[in-house]
Amino acid sequence: MDIPAAQKPPKGIQDPQLANESSSKEQVPRFGSDMDLHSETLAKEVLDPAAERKLLLKLDSVFVPIIMVVYLSCFLDRSNIGNAKIAGMPEDIGASPAEFSTAVSIFYATYVAFESPWSILLKKLTPRFLLTSLCVVWSLTTVFTAFVTSPGGLHAARLVLGACEGGLFPGLNLYLTMVYKRDEQAKRVSYLFVCTALAGAFGGLLAYVILKMDGIAGLQGWKWIYIIEGIFSVLIGFVIWFGLPNDPSNAYFLNDEEKRMMRVRAAQRAQYMGSEKFSWEEITIELKDPKMWISGAIQFCQDILLYGFSTFLPSIIQSMGYDTLQSQYLTIPVYMFGGICFLVIAYISDRLCIRGPFVAFANIFGIVGYVLILCPTANGVKFFGTFLCAIAVYNGPGLNLTWLNVNVAPHYRRAAAIGFQQTIGNTAGIVAGQIYRTPPYLLGNGFSVGALGLAQVLIAGKWFYIRRLNNKKRRIEAGDIADDRKVKTGDRALDFKYHL
């Protein structure tokens, strides 16, 4: 359980052991290490709230821009197939509507297969090496996609792209848990999902500009989309290598006092982070956790929207009667609005430490939005509906993932939970590619409404289940009932309160 940081303390407990602490690496407790006497001493220290806020601002100013630009490039390379579609790619490579839909879906076959292995291997291979390697490979794959000449070539490129990008999102989420406390995470996870909105907005704007290069060097405009965006992503690999340290507590931009504060924060989060030692037992425990499976089912429903909307929004807008270039730039305000709404709701969620009700609240807007698009309304009303959909598109997956992040401990149990939840959720990408085939996309939009309705039921079920777990812990602690639980460590500990 996190130590409250809001009370006004003395500067800190001046333990002689801490005052004379050696800077040797062996004496610095690493994130996720087991609690020893020294760590317990650190955990009891209460940091000056003003100093901790300043530290958080410094962490955000360095880590957040790097993480955001990395995920932006990742999502840009994944979703630009939607921009290429309305720019003539299927016709140029001889792909039928069914073959092109398969290209969209097949990406998720390798994406979901590699998510869990990459998330579990993150510590073993180190964040810097793993994330940089994956970024370089998927970036080069994006560049080479510009030169495919057949549906088979496109399918092969999408399979490689999925295998590499599958490690990024769970990896970045685990990295955030190494830096931030439970009540600080929703806002930071929101930055990742805001990047999906920015990728859509930036991708639409970039596609609008790049398509004007059609014919330069004898290449079609859609080929330039892949080349330019792929080269941009290659450069991001260098940002990861030099910008993300393997051990955030000893980051290059922190001074000695800030590194000490990071060690205090790490000790305070020791129960949440847990041991760094790989344990099949922890993974087995998580595989039996209903929270993870319900969360995965919710994520599947929410990702139907995320992948269908983010990939096919240009096509959805085009089906309303707009031309190719208009369909590209009209996506920009929709994506931006969705991202801003997510930032606001995630901030409130962190402040109140409430998760599930905000997911359900955002979904209401999505249901109304899709109904407006489906009904025989004017094009202006349908376009307004896309703004309402965007609220659910980004808040749903982002807040649901945070809801799982903060309720699972220790590290490898959480790594398994994130990996498996994302694996379940991202199979929705396979479905999204098949339901959005022909305009006006009644099947895709109707399926999305149904997914939101099912998500609402699952969210309510998970909320009541978690509340029952909290009540049971409270009754055991009060001595009202016997403790018959088989697992009592990590998030199952009595003093670990689940966020509702």
Side-chain angles (χ1 to χ4, degrees), residues 177-204:
T177 67
M178 296 165 64
V179 181
Y180 298 102
K181 295 179 180 179
R182 295 173 72 204
D183 59 352
E184 298 165 351
Q185 286 185 33
K187 185 166 68 173
R188 277 77 189 185
V189 171
S190 76
Y191 296 148
L192 292 179
F193 278 90
V194 164
C195 285
T196 67
L198 289 176
F202 183 62

mmCIF file of all heavy atoms in Angstrom, residues 177-204:
data_model
loop_
_atom_site.group_PDB
_atom_site.id
_atom_site.type_symbol
_atom_site.label_atom_id
_atom_site.label_comp_id
_atom_site.label_asym_id
_atom_site.label_seq_id
_atom_site.Cartn_x
_atom_site.Cartn_y
_atom_site.Cartn_z
ATOM 1 N N THR A 177 5.054 1.580 -14.563
ATOM 2 C CA THR A 177 4.885 1.086 -13.191
ATOM 3 C C THR A 177 6.199 1.081 -12.437
ATOM 4 O O THR A 177 6.206 0.997 -11.213
ATOM 5 C CB THR A 177 4.293 -0.342 -13.179
ATOM 6 O OG1 THR A 177 5.237 -1.275 -13.721
ATOM 7 C CG2 THR A 177 2.993 -0.408 -13.941
ATOM 8 N N MET A 178 7.325 1.164 -13.144
ATOM 9 C CA MET A 178 8.630 1.233 -12.504
ATOM 10 C C MET A 178 8.967 2.649 -12.051
ATOM 11 O O MET A 178 9.939 2.854 -11.333
ATOM 12 C CB MET A 178 9.715 0.727 -13.469
ATOM 13 C CG MET A 178 9.584 -0.731 -13.862
ATOM 14 S SD MET A 178 10.588 -1.178 -15.311
ATOM 15 C CE MET A 178 12.245 -0.905 -14.660
ATOM 16 N N VAL A 179 8.174 3.613 -12.494
ATOM 17 C CA VAL A 179 8.466 5.017 -12.206
ATOM 18 C C VAL A 179 7.415 5.652 -11.300
ATOM 19 O O VAL A 179 7.742 6.408 -10.384
ATOM 20 C CB VAL A 179 8.568 5.829 -13.520
ATOM 21 C CG1 VAL A 179 8.889 7.299 -13.218
ATOM 22 C CG2 VAL A 179 9.617 5.242 -14.441
ATOM 23 N N TYR A 180 6.134 5.314 -11.520
ATOM 24 C CA TYR A 180 5.050 6.030 -10.862
ATOM 25 C C TYR A 180 4.282 5.150 -9.883
ATOM 26 O O TYR A 180 4.215 3.933 -10.033
ATOM 27 C CB TYR A 180 4.082 6.582 -11.912
ATOM 28 C CG TYR A 180 4.726 7.570 -12.844
ATOM 29 C CD1 TYR A 180 5.108 7.195 -14.135
ATOM 30 C CD2 TYR A 180 4.966 8.879 -12.443
ATOM 31 C CE1 TYR A 180 5.705 8.100 -14.997
ATOM 32 C CE2 TYR A 180 5.565 9.797 -13.289
ATOM 33 C CZ TYR A 180 5.938 9.395 -14.571
ATOM 34 O OH TYR A 180 6.532 10.296 -15.420
ATOM 35 N N LYS A 181 3.665 5.797 -8.890
ATOM 36 C CA LYS A 181 2.836 5.107 -7.915
ATOM 37 C C LYS A 181 1.464 4.798 -8.520
ATOM 38 O O LYS A 181 1.107 5.282 -9.595
ATOM 39 C CB LYS A 181 2.648 5.978 -6.665
ATOM 40 C CG LYS A 181 3.943 6.232 -5.888
ATOM 41 C CD LYS A 181 3.652 7.110 -4.684
ATOM 42 C CE LYS A 181 4.918 7.399 -3.883
ATOM 43 N NZ LYS A 181 4.663 8.270 -2.719
ATOM 44 N N ARG A 182 0.680 4.020 -7.781
ATOM 45 C CA ARG A 182 -0.619 3.580 -8.283
ATOM 46 C C ARG A 182 -1.535 4.756 -8.619
ATOM 47 O O ARG A 182 -2.225 4.744 -9.637
ATOM 48 C CB ARG A 182 -1.312 2.685 -7.258
ATOM 49 C CG ARG A 182 -0.609 1.376 -6.984
ATOM 50 C CD ARG A 182 -1.289 0.650 -5.840
ATOM 51 N NE ARG A 182 -2.581 0.116 -6.234
ATOM 52 C CZ ARG A 182 -3.574 -0.144 -5.386
ATOM 53 N NH1 ARG A 182 -3.434 0.134 -4.102
ATOM 54 N NH2 ARG A 182 -4.702 -0.649 -5.813
ATOM 55 N N ASP A 183 -1.555 5.764 -7.730
ATOM 56 C CA ASP A 183 -2.477 6.879 -7.950
ATOM 57 C C ASP A 183 -1.914 7.931 -8.906
ATOM 58 O O ASP A 183 -2.501 8.989 -9.082
ATOM 59 C CB ASP A 183 -2.839 7.539 -6.610
ATOM 60 C CG ASP A 183 -1.623 8.057 -5.864
ATOM 61 O OD1 ASP A 183 -0.484 7.776 -6.299
ATOM 62 O OD2 ASP A 183 -1.797 8.747 -4.851
ATOM 63 N N GLU A 184 -0.777 7.623 -9.542
ATOM 64 C CA GLU A 184 -0.179 8.536 -10.517
ATOM 65 C C GLU A 184 -0.239 7.969 -11.937
ATOM 66 O O GLU A 184 0.221 8.616 -12.871
ATOM 67 C CB GLU A 184 1.295 8.796 -10.158
ATOM 68 C CG GLU A 184 1.509 9.455 -8.816
ATOM 69 C CD GLU A 184 2.961 9.375 -8.323
ATOM 70 O OE1 GLU A 184 3.774 8.661 -8.954
ATOM 71 O OE2 GLU A 184 3.267 10.010 -7.298
ATOM 72 N N GLN A 185 -0.817 6.775 -12.082
ATOM 73 C CA GLN A 185 -0.629 6.069 -13.340
ATOM 74 C C GLN A 185 -1.654 6.350 -14.419
ATOM 75 O O GLN A 185 -1.323 6.359 -15.616
ATOM 76 C CB GLN A 185 -0.573 4.556 -13.087
ATOM 77 C CG GLN A 185 0.736 4.134 -12.465
ATOM 78 C CD GLN A 185 0.839 2.634 -12.340
ATOM 79 O OE1 GLN A 185 0.321 1.903 -13.158
ATOM 80 N NE2 GLN A 185 1.523 2.185 -11.313
ATOM 81 N N ALA A 186 -2.916 6.564 -14.057
ATOM 82 C CA ALA A 186 -3.943 6.737 -15.094
ATOM 83 C C ALA A 186 -3.595 7.898 -16.011
ATOM 84 O O ALA A 186 -3.760 7.820 -17.234
ATOM 85 C CB ALA A 186 -5.319 6.949 -14.468
ATOM 86 N N LYS A 187 -3.106 8.996 -15.407
ATOM 87 C CA LYS A 187 -2.767 10.161 -16.219
ATOM 88 C C LYS A 187 -1.641 9.835 -17.179
ATOM 89 O O LYS A 187 -1.656 10.252 -18.351
ATOM 90 C CB LYS A 187 -2.376 11.329 -15.305
ATOM 91 C CG LYS A 187 -2.119 12.620 -16.059
ATOM 92 C CD LYS A 187 -2.069 13.816 -15.122
ATOM 93 C CE LYS A 187 -0.858 13.769 -14.215
ATOM 94 N NZ LYS A 187 -0.714 15.008 -13.424
ATOM 95 N N ARG A 188 -0.644 9.037 -16.716
ATOM 96 C CA ARG A 188 0.489 8.697 -17.595
ATOM 97 C C ARG A 188 0.081 7.688 -18.659
ATOM 98 O O ARG A 188 0.524 7.773 -19.811
ATOM 99 C CB ARG A 188 1.658 8.155 -16.767
ATOM 100 C CG ARG A 188 2.529 9.251 -16.151
ATOM 101 C CD ARG A 188 1.886 9.875 -14.929
ATOM 102 N NE ARG A 188 2.574 11.056 -14.449
ATOM 103 C CZ ARG A 188 2.236 11.701 -13.329
ATOM 104 N NH1 ARG A 188 1.224 11.280 -12.605
ATOM 105 N NH2 ARG A 188 2.907 12.774 -12.965
ATOM 106 N N VAL A 189 -0.771 6.721 -18.300
ATOM 107 C CA VAL A 189 -1.269 5.790 -19.314
ATOM 108 C C VAL A 189 -2.113 6.558 -20.331
ATOM 109 O O VAL A 189 -2.114 6.231 -21.524
ATOM 110 C CB VAL A 189 -2.095 4.657 -18.665
ATOM 111 C CG1 VAL A 189 -2.794 3.815 -19.728
ATOM 112 C CG2 VAL A 189 -1.199 3.763 -17.817
ATOM 113 N N SER A 190 -2.803 7.597 -19.856
ATOM 114 C CA SER A 190 -3.626 8.386 -20.777
ATOM 115 C C SER A 190 -2.764 9.028 -21.854
ATOM 116 O O SER A 190 -3.213 9.220 -22.988
ATOM 117 C CB SER A 190 -4.397 9.472 -20.016
ATOM 118 O OG SER A 190 -3.568 10.558 -19.647
ATOM 119 N N TYR A 191 -1.514 9.357 -21.513
ATOM 120 C CA TYR A 191 -0.636 9.955 -22.508
ATOM 121 C C TYR A 191 -0.413 8.996 -23.678
ATOM 122 O O TYR A 191 -0.280 9.426 -24.834
ATOM 123 C CB TYR A 191 0.709 10.323 -21.888
ATOM 124 C CG TYR A 191 0.626 11.382 -20.809
ATOM 125 C CD1 TYR A 191 1.513 11.390 -19.745
ATOM 126 C CD2 TYR A 191 -0.345 12.379 -20.853
ATOM 127 C CE1 TYR A 191 1.443 12.349 -18.740
ATOM 128 C CE2 TYR A 191 -0.422 13.352 -19.864
ATOM 129 C CZ TYR A 191 0.481 13.326 -18.808
ATOM 130 O OH TYR A 191 0.406 14.279 -17.825
ATOM 131 N N LEU A 192 -0.343 7.679 -23.377
ATOM 132 C CA LEU A 192 -0.165 6.700 -24.445
ATOM 133 C C LEU A 192 -1.372 6.684 -25.368
ATOM 134 O O LEU A 192 -1.237 6.657 -26.598
ATOM 135 C CB LEU A 192 0.058 5.303 -23.852
ATOM 136 C CG LEU A 192 1.372 5.069 -23.100
ATOM 137 C CD1 LEU A 192 1.427 3.647 -22.563
ATOM 138 C CD2 LEU A 192 2.559 5.326 -24.009
ATOM 139 N N PHE A 193 -2.569 6.688 -24.771
ATOM 140 C CA PHE A 193 -3.762 6.633 -25.605
ATOM 141 C C PHE A 193 -4.011 7.959 -26.307
ATOM 142 O O PHE A 193 -4.608 7.988 -27.387
ATOM 143 C CB PHE A 193 -4.969 6.208 -24.774
ATOM 144 C CG PHE A 193 -5.037 4.721 -24.591
ATOM 145 C CD1 PHE A 193 -4.415 4.122 -23.509
ATOM 146 C CD2 PHE A 193 -5.672 3.922 -25.510
ATOM 147 C CE1 PHE A 193 -4.446 2.746 -23.338
ATOM 148 C CE2 PHE A 193 -5.710 2.549 -25.362
ATOM 149 C CZ PHE A 193 -5.101 1.959 -24.272
ATOM 150 N N VAL A 194 -3.554 9.057 -25.710
ATOM 151 C CA VAL A 194 -3.628 10.330 -26.411
ATOM 152 C C VAL A 194 -2.777 10.255 -27.674
ATOM 153 O O VAL A 194 -3.108 10.846 -28.708
ATOM 154 C CB VAL A 194 -3.163 11.484 -25.501
ATOM 155 C CG1 VAL A 194 -2.868 12.728 -26.312
ATOM 156 C CG2 VAL A 194 -4.245 11.802 -24.483
ATOM 157 N N CYS A 195 -1.704 9.466 -27.608
ATOM 158 C CA CYS A 195 -0.846 9.307 -28.784
ATOM 159 C C CYS A 195 -1.572 8.597 -29.914
ATOM 160 O O CYS A 195 -1.287 8.839 -31.087
ATOM 161 C CB CYS A 195 0.425 8.536 -28.426
ATOM 162 S SG CYS A 195 1.597 9.517 -27.507
ATOM 163 N N THR A 196 -2.506 7.706 -29.571
ATOM 164 C CA THR A 196 -3.281 7.081 -30.639
ATOM 165 C C THR A 196 -4.152 8.129 -31.316
ATOM 166 O O THR A 196 -4.352 8.091 -32.539
ATOM 167 C CB THR A 196 -4.160 5.932 -30.103
ATOM 168 O OG1 THR A 196 -5.170 6.461 -29.241
ATOM 169 C CG2 THR A 196 -3.337 4.924 -29.327
ATOM 170 N N ALA A 197 -4.664 9.074 -30.510
ATOM 171 C CA ALA A 197 -5.452 10.168 -31.084
ATOM 172 C C ALA A 197 -4.561 11.091 -31.909
ATOM 173 O O ALA A 197 -4.916 11.492 -33.022
ATOM 174 C CB ALA A 197 -6.145 10.955 -29.972
ATOM 175 N N LEU A 198 -3.381 11.416 -31.363
ATOM 176 C CA LEU A 198 -2.455 12.277 -32.093
ATOM 177 C C LEU A 198 -1.975 11.611 -33.370
ATOM 178 O O LEU A 198 -1.793 12.265 -34.400
ATOM 179 C CB LEU A 198 -1.246 12.615 -31.204
ATOM 180 C CG LEU A 198 -1.503 13.558 -30.030
ATOM 181 C CD1 LEU A 198 -0.246 13.712 -29.183
ATOM 182 C CD2 LEU A 198 -1.971 14.924 -30.538
ATOM 183 N N ALA A 199 -1.772 10.277 -33.299
ATOM 184 C CA ALA A 199 -1.337 9.546 -34.501
ATOM 185 C C ALA A 199 -2.407 9.641 -35.577
ATOM 186 O O ALA A 199 -2.107 9.777 -36.767
ATOM 187 C CB ALA A 199 -1.059 8.082 -34.154
ATOM 188 N N GLY A 200 -3.674 9.550 -35.149
ATOM 189 C CA GLY A 200 -4.751 9.690 -36.116
ATOM 190 C C GLY A 200 -4.796 11.093 -36.698
ATOM 191 O O GLY A 200 -4.893 11.276 -37.918
ATOM 192 N N ALA A 201 -4.705 12.097 -35.814
ATOM 193 C CA ALA A 201 -4.749 13.485 -36.278
ATOM 194 C C ALA A 201 -3.530 13.820 -37.125
ATOM 195 O O ALA A 201 -3.640 14.373 -38.222
ATOM 196 C CB ALA A 201 -4.832 14.425 -35.075
ATOM 197 N N PHE A 202 -2.342 13.462 -36.601
ATOM 198 C CA PHE A 202 -1.103 13.748 -37.310
ATOM 199 C C PHE A 202 -1.040 12.947 -38.601
ATOM 200 O O PHE A 202 -0.579 13.432 -39.634
ATOM 201 C CB PHE A 202 0.085 13.412 -36.400
ATOM 202 C CG PHE A 202 1.423 13.740 -36.999
ATOM 203 C CD1 PHE A 202 1.759 15.043 -37.327
ATOM 204 C CD2 PHE A 202 2.360 12.736 -37.235
ATOM 205 C CE1 PHE A 202 2.995 15.349 -37.873
ATOM 206 C CE2 PHE A 202 3.592 13.035 -37.769
ATOM 207 C CZ PHE A 202 3.915 14.339 -38.089
ATOM 208 N N GLY A 203 -1.531 11.681 -38.530
ATOM 209 C CA GLY A 203 -1.520 10.836 -39.715
ATOM 210 C C GLY A 203 -2.416 11.386 -40.805
ATOM 211 O O GLY A 203 -2.067 11.358 -41.985
ATOM 212 N N GLY A 204 -3.588 11.893 -40.396
ATOM 213 C CA GLY A 204 -4.487 12.490 -41.371
ATOM 214 C C GLY A 204 -3.894 13.730 -42.009
ATOM 215 O O GLY A 204 -3.973 13.933 -43.226
#
